[in-house]
Amino acid sequence: MCGIVGYAGSRQAAPVLLDGLEKLEYRGYDSAGVCVHNENGLEPVKAKGRLSVLRDRLEGGSALPGSVGIGHTRWATHGAPSDRNSHPHMSWTGKIAVVHNGIIENEARLREKMLRKGATFSSETDTEVVANLIGYYYEKYGDFVLAVREAVVRLEGSFALGILCKDVPGKIVAVKKDSPLIFGFGEGENFIASDVPAILKYTQTVAYLEDGDMAVFDGDSVEFFDSTGEPTEKKREKITWEMSAAERGGYDHFMMKEIYEQPKALRDTISPRLRNGQVTLEGIDLSAEYLKGLRKIYLVACGSAYYVSVLAKYIIEKTCRIACEAMMASEFRYCDPVVGKDNLVIFVSQSGETADTLAALREAKARGAQTLAIVNVVGSAIAKAADQVIYTWAGPEIAVATTKAFTTQLSVVYLLAMQMAKTLGTMSVGEYNALISGLESLPYDVERVLSQRHLERCQYLASRYHAHHDAFYIGRNVDSGICMEGSLKLKEIAYLHSEAYPAGELKHGPISLIEDGTLVVALATIEPLFDKTMANIKEVKARGADVLCVTLEGYEEQAEKIADSIIAVPKVHPLLQPSLSIIPLQLFSYYVALYRGCDVDKPRNLAKSVTVE
Ligand code: M6R
C-alpha cells in the first residue's frame, strides 16, 4: 500500500525522494508525488501511473530545487488514481503539505467540519482532510507542531504522516498511528520512510516510531515526542542487512531472486534454533502446564500466510495432538470467535503490518488469549503487539508474490510444533530425531529442487500450459494447503483464473467445471494417499482434463501412466514435504506469468503490505 519518504539535509531533496520511492514501489501503487520546500515556498509535483512518469516530469529530480521534502506512492482508497488525488496534498491555505499512509475513518465528518470553517477541497482523498485540519489549526495558533498535534488527536483510523509548513523552512513533522514509519539518522541529514530499503542507501541507523510518536526534525537535529506530547528518546537500531539484499542482483525479477534465496533463508531461520539435536526457540515460553490446559490453538493470517496456517493445523495437530483452527484474519473479528484464556492464538505475517491481522491480534488479546506472532519484519506492529514473537530470517522480501517468506514461515511452524510436542511428550524420540535431521537437510533439499533440470522442466511446463483460461489445483492433506498457495501464485502474478480444492472435494460440485483441456494441477506427494489422489486424477482425466502432476521421485512411472505431465521432487520427511512441493509451483507460476507478458514483481491491483482492512 502507500509508501512515504521524507528528507531534510543539504543534498537536493527530489532525487533522494525519487530514489526512496523507487525502493517502496514493491508496496504497490498507482500514482506518486513529491513536495519540496524551496524559494518558491511549497512546490508539489505529482503524477498518475508509474514512478517513471514522475521521474520524467522532474528530469530525475534535478528540475526541482530545494533540500527538504516529502514523497509518496499512492494505492488508491478514496478516489480513483489521478494527478489530482495523488499526494502530497496541500491545505486550502497553501501553507501545509501532507503525505499519508493509512485511512482516516472519520474523514466524512471532518470534511463537513472543515467546509463549515471555510476550507475548500480539490481531491476526493481522506488525506486532504488532514492537510486542511492542520492548515486550520496552523491559522488558529500560528505554531506548526501544535497545529499537527491538534489535528492528529481528532483523527480516527490509521496514519503515518510526513508534513511540511511553508512558514517553517527546513523542518518536517512526522507522526504515526497503526501505519509503519521509521526515522533514519544521517550525517547532517535525516530521513523518514515507510520501510528501511527507502533510506538504506544513505543510512543504516534507524528508529522505529511507536503509535502516537512524533518526530520534529531538520537536517541537523531531531526531537521525538510520545503520544502525550512529552519529549522522549528513541532507541537507535542498526540495520544489519546490506542494500544488495533489497536489489535484484542480476536476476530479472525480485521474485526469481527470492525463490533462489530460499535455501539461505531457511538456513538462517532454522540453524540458530537447532542446538545439540534439540529445537531451542529462545524467549518462547510455552510450559507443559499451559499447553495441556489449551482448548484450541487458532492460527490467524491473510493470503499466503493463511495458507501457512492451514498447513500448520495439520502439522501441529499431528505432532502435538492439540485441536487447531486456521482462520482468515479478515473474518476473525467479525465472527465472535470462541477465544479466551485457554486459547493460544498464532498470527503469521511477513510484513507484520497487515491491517486485518493486526486488528485480529488486538481482538484476541482483548479476549484474554495468549498471542504469538511469526513475523519477518523486525520491529513491525504485529511483532510488537504480540505477547511472544518468532522471527523468520528471510531478509527483505520485495516481490509482491511471497516465496521465501512462505517457506520460512513454514519452517518456523515445524520448529514450534516440535518444541511444543517435546514439552507435551507427544512425539517419540525416534520421530523427533528424524524431524531434526530432516530440518537440518531441508535447505539442501530445496537447493536440489532449484536445480537447472527442475528450472527447465517448469519453464517447459509453463510454455505448454500458459494459454489455458482456468486451472484447478487438487491434493490431499498437506498437499491441499500447498494447492491453495500454488493456485494463489498463479492468480496473482499470471492473472490466470485458478481454484484449489482438497482432491476428494472436487466431485461435490467443482468437477462440473472440468471439460476438454481444463488444466488440473494435482499434487501427490503423500505416500499413503498416493493411490487416492491418482483415483481423483482419473476422474478429471475421464472428463477431458489436462493434468500436470507434482509427485515424489520414485513415483514418476506410476503417475505418468495417468497424468499428462509430471514433475517430481525429492522425498523427505512427510511433514516437511510441503516445503519442497511448493517450489515447482512457484517456478511454474513465474514462467506462466512471463509467457503471458505479466509484470511479475508488480502485479496489477496488488500491494505487498495490505495496511487497510
Ligand atoms: O505481510 P503478510 O504476510 O501479513 O501478508 C499477507 C498477504 O497479504 C500475503 O501473503 C499475500 O497473499 C501475498 N501477495 C501472497 O503472495
Side-chain angles (χ1 to χ4, degrees), residues 34 38 45 84 141 170 212-213 223 305 324 326 330 393 436 545 576 586:
V34 297
N38 58 29
V45 182
R84 203 164 46 83
Y141 299 116
D213 280 354
E223 287 176 288
C324 295
S330 54
W393 297 117
I436 291 280
L576 309 181
Q586 295 170 345

Side-chain angles (χ1 to χ4, degrees), residues 302-305 348-352 354 400-402 409 488-489 492 610:
C302 298
S304 296
V348 188
S349 176
Q350 186 284 129
S351 62
T354 301
V400 167
T402 183
Q409 284 163 356
L488 180 68
K489 288 279 94 65
E492 65 181 339
V610 183

Side-chain angles (χ1 to χ4, degrees), residues 188-210:
E189 55 187 0
N190 287 311
F191 307 80
I192 49 163
S194 297
D195 198 1
V196 172
I199 57 174
L200 199 53
K201 182 171 161 188
Y202 305 100
T203 178
Q204 288 186 305
T205 311
V206 305
Y208 294 92
L209 299 196
E210 308 276 344

